[in-house]
């Protein structure tokens, strides 16, 4: 089954693929599996199935750098830890996800022990960003955003450059839509005084 999935991927389908293994892996085994295959990117669903995630293209990589760099610059004054798309988090529902950008307050990060910080942190970030590529399916991306919020993420941005649209998800269940990259996004009460100019993604 794995060979078929990889073959389909190489034939031009850039979406994630599901990988089913004969034996279930605990968290440490999954971490080792990811490290042994560090040329690939993985996420894991709550039921234990593994998703092989494609690498990003050039434009997406540039856009993601803009977001992470501005977030990191803000954190130098306001604190917290910033993570890029290579970091995986184990959510309370047992899914393992790798948002394109994430931020966690110092208080919550320091509540984890050293081993938890070293591996895939068992914590939902306070803030996440998912940056869609041209091949991503909006419905699937929106489902992931709902999962983030249901697992404790306070604020989440889903950015779709192809339509210059952003969906903003909040812990209280409200969702806002911003159209046109002439606008700026606010970190609201989760990231005080943080603003991100969407023009940077054009």
């Amino acid at each position: 089954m794995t060979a078929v999935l990889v073959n389909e991927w190489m034939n031009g389908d850039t979406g994630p693929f599901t990988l089913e293994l004969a034996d279930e892996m605990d968290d440490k085994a999954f971490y080792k599996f990811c490290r042994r295959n560090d040329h690939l990117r993985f996420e894991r669903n709550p039921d234990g199935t593994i998703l092989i995630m494609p690498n990003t293209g050039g434009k997406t990589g540039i856009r993601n750098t803009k977001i992470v760099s501005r977030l990191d610059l803000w954190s130098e004054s306001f604190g917290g830890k910033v993570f890029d798309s290579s970091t995986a988090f184990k959510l309370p529902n047992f899914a393992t996800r790798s948002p394109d950008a994430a931020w966690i307050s110092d208080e919550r990060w320091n509540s984890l022990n050293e081993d938890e910080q070293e591996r895939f942190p068992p914590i939902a970030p306070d803030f996440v960003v998912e940056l869609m590529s041209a091949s991503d399916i909006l419905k699937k991306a929106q489902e992931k955003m709902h999962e983030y919020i249901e697992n404790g993420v306070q604020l989440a941005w889903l950015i779709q450059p192809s339509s210059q649209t952003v969906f903003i998800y909040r812990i209280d269940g409200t969702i806002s839509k911003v159209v046109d990259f002439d606008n700026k996004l606010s970190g609201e009460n989760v990231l005080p005084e943080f603003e991100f100019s969407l023009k940077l993604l054009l």
Side-chain angles (χ1 to χ4, degrees), residues 10-53:
M10 294 177 66
N11 284 338
D13 191 335
T14 57
F17 293 97
T18 301
L19 176 63
E20 295 182 2
L21 302 178
D23 299 320
E24 293 185 5
M25 292 188 289
D26 61 17
D27 292 342
K28 289 187 177 180
F30 179 58
Y31 179 80
K32 290 180 179 178
F33 171 80
C34 293
R35 297 284 67 79
R36 289 171 181 165
N37 297 278
D38 58 6
H39 56 295
L40 298 172
R41 297 174 60 232
F42 299 100
E43 288 190 348
R44 187 164 59 162
N45 290 330
D47 63 3
T49 57
I50 296 172
L51 301 176
I52 304 174
M53 310 298 293

Side-chain angles (χ1 to χ4, degrees), residues 62-157:
I62 292 170
R63 289 169 176 146
N64 201 56
T65 298
K66 296 290 187 182
I67 297 169
V68 172
S69 63
R70 269 56 179 188
L71 187 59
D72 189 54
L73 183 63
W74 171 87
S75 73
E76 290 182 2
S77 298
F78 289 87
K81 299 293 184 290
V82 176
F83 306 86
D84 66 10
S85 60
S86 62
T87 308
F89 299 92
K90 181 184 176 183
L91 303 181
N93 70 342
F94 302 110
T96 301
R97 302 298 183 203
S98 299
D100 291 314
W103 177 84
I104 299 176
S105 69
D106 286 320
E107 180 181 4
R108 296 185 67 235
W109 178 251
N110 292 333
S111 70
L112 302 176
N113 62 44
E114 186 172 346
D115 185 64
E116 290 172 329
Q117 293 178 353
E118 181 65 31
R119 299 180 185 275
F120 298 148
I123 191 172
D126 295 280
F127 169 71
V128 301
V129 179
E130 288 286 358
L131 179 63
M132 296 182 64
S133 64
S135 63
D136 287 335
I137 299 172
L138 179 58
K139 182 179 179 181
K140 292 291 186 182
Q142 291 174 326
E143 288 174 355
K144 181 181 284 189
M145 304 308 284
H146 283 293
E147 180 185 56
Y148 282 135
I149 296 300
E150 290 169 358
N151 280 272
V153 172
Q154 303 291 305
L155 178 68
W157 296 348

